[in-house]
Amino acid sequence: MQLYSTLSRMVEPFQTLYPDRVSLFVCGPTVYNYPHLGHARTYVVFDVLAKYLRWTGQEVLYIQNITDVDDKIINRAQEEKISQKDLARKFEREYIKDMLSLGIDSVSYHARATTHIPEIINQIERLVGIGVGYITETGVYFNIDSFPRNGELSGQSKDKRISRVTDTKKHNPADFVLWKRGEYGEYTWDSPWGRGRPGWHIEDTAITEKYFGQQYDIHGGGLDLIFPHHEAEIAQMESLEGKHPMVRYWMHTGFLTVEGEKMSKSLGNFIKIQDALKTWDKDIIRYFILLSHYRSPLQVSEEGLLNAKKALEHIRAIAITDNGPYPEGRDAFIAAMESDLNTPNAIAAIHALAAHGDLEALIEYGEILGIRFLPETSAPLSILQDIRAELRASKQFEIADMIRKKIADAGIQVTDPPLKPLK
Ligand code: AMP
């Protein structure tokens, strides 16, 4: 398989650290609100990646973190007058529920930040121990000047890489926080630097080091996470262990946009997954997402979803008669998936497989893409088609046409082969 890595900015042959074993980590959500279609885009892509890698016979350990301690959670919990934990658990449940409704069921383990506090503290202690973490009145910070490779992933010049956390106690505006001192309600823990809570970046490296070790195969997330989040993760882990690269394949999804702007909670232009599912079923949403390459931006629109619906209906309408394997179509599907997860080309191959009646491939590849390509009623339908063929052969066209009309009323177009010439 060939995968593009943001780190090398090249499509590279995919080689795992250990044979037949893939370690995949994708940044999970901050659980303070309902997930939207932007999240769906990113998580459908990695779901398909995990399913495809498993289909090729590799063992995939797919971990996602859940950011359940964060300023946004603290603020929202205060607004709603509920505890941070209750709020975070509520939206974690909503997230898992929505992911399952979209057929995203490939994650091996969801790791919460709050259940990895000992690992987080341990990592910070080691960073302080080797002199790259420093302690101030307000917390513990990472000295970014100590890590010369900083900036390699994002390719940004140094003066642009200013951390969002503005704190005059920091030695350098680009330094980022590892531990925030203070009382933050129930999600505050004791640490060697006093009570407080972890910074955002350290939760991911604490989790990945625990389950994968210092190096692993693929790290995924949306484009917005390259800087500062993923740069910071690299700085933390590679400073600690000196092993480079922490991750070779950095995969970043393009944004799902609305009228050219990123769909996001803060812009208020978001469509909740739950609401989208009231109009469009999960197969249509997945088809729509996979019709674009994961690195391209994806403009969401009613028209785009409607076209996806029609295209999927077309596949289901023609995928009726089983004609056995269509090898060219199967090769095209696999070649597309191997080529940096080129799902638009994979879907083109699905159309060819449907046109040639390779139903077995449609079922199997449908499981990889998480989309049902056969009509729901395909078994009874093929029986009805057999009956119609018998009726037509014995010239009982009226009854045969009546059955065809009933099938058409159910939304499925049936075309008949020409009748055999009479002897
Ligand atoms: P967040 O909820 O901001 O913590 O994001 C969780 C994941 O969803 C991250 O990988 C984001 O990059 C991704 N994400 C959020 N919004 C979008 C969007 N509009 N398009 C694609 N991915 C997104």
Side-chain angles (χ1 to χ4, degrees), residues 143-152 154-163 172-175 227 231:
N143 170 11
I144 204 62
D145 283 337
S146 70
F147 187 67
R149 273 198 297 276
N150 187 247
E152 271 185 11
S154 61
Q156 287 194 67
S157 62
K158 205 170 173 184
D159 54 328
K160 293 236 174 81
R161 298 195 306 273
I162 305 297
S163 165
N172 177 337
D175 292 350
F227 177 82
E231 289 272 20

Side-chain angles (χ1 to χ4, degrees), residues 159-394:
D159 54 328
K160 293 236 174 81
R161 298 195 306 273
I162 305 297
S163 165
R164 279 188 297 192
V165 182
T166 46
D167 180 338
T168 48
K169 301 286 185 288
K170 284 197 295 189
H171 296 175
N172 177 337
D175 292 350
F176 56 85
V177 69
L178 297 166
W179 187 262
K180 294 185 186 188
R181 279 186 166 156
E183 278 296 337
Y184 300 96
E186 83 233 73
Y187 275 164
T188 309
W189 295 266
D190 288 324
S191 82
W193 321 283
R195 281 179 70 72
R197 63 185 176 93
W200 175 34
H201 316 304
I202 197 78
E203 73 180 81
D204 287 3
T205 47
I207 288 167
T208 54
E209 189 184 22
K210 174 168 176 163
Y211 299 103
F212 296 148
Q214 291 92 31
Q215 289 182 300
Y216 57 100
D217 297 310
I218 306 175
H219 190 317
L223 267 185
D224 50 336
L225 299 185
I226 299 176
F227 177 82
H229 190 46
H230 292 163
E231 289 272 20
E233 283 187 50
I234 295 174
Q236 289 165 174
M237 198 67 242
E238 295 191 9
S239 300
L240 264 186
E241 292 299 325
K243 287 186 189 163
H244 171 72
M246 169 178 88
V247 167
R248 181 162 163 195
Y249 305 95
W250 284 88
M251 293 178 67
H252 291 105
T253 47
F255 293 141
L256 181 115
T257 60
V258 187
E259 284 157 16
E261 278 199 292
K262 181 190 170 201
M263 179 176 282
S264 75
K265 290 165 202 163
S266 50
L267 289 174
N269 61 354
F270 65 93
I271 303 169
K272 284 190 216 164
I273 291 172
Q274 297 177 4
D275 289 341
L277 281 166
K278 287 177 193 156
T279 315
W280 313 98
D281 79 35
K282 73 124 174 89
D283 286 349
I284 297 167
I285 295 177
R286 289 182 75 111
Y287 186 100
F288 170 74
I289 289 172
L290 296 173
L291 211 49
S292 293
H293 189 250
Y294 73 90
R295 286 194 276 125
S296 314
L298 168 59
Q299 172 84 19
V300 70
S301 67
E302 177 110 13
E303 194 192 351
L305 282 155
L306 197 60
N307 287 339
K309 182 171 187 259
K310 285 184 190 153
L312 188 55
E313 278 170 358
H314 174 71
I315 293 174
R316 289 175 180 167
I318 61 172
I320 293 171
T321 319
D322 191 8
N323 295 329
Y326 174 55
E328 289 94 323
R330 293 183 180 201
D331 291 349
F333 178 85
I334 292 165
M337 296 298 279
E338 294 278 308
S339 170
D340 192 27
L341 209 69
N342 192 327
T343 53
N345 285 358
I347 288 181
I350 292 286
H351 279 271
L353 287 160
H356 287 82
D358 186 347
L359 302 194
E360 188 188 60
L362 289 176
I363 294 172
E364 194 156 323
Y365 300 162
E367 278 168 17
I368 296 171
L369 302 180
I371 299 171
R372 177 175 59 77
F373 290 121
L374 294 198
E376 220 159 8
T377 51
S378 73
L381 198 70
S382 67
I383 296 168
L384 280 178
Q385 277 291 73
D386 289 347
I387 295 171
R388 287 190 65 246
E390 297 272 331
L391 289 168
R392 279 162 45 86
S394 58

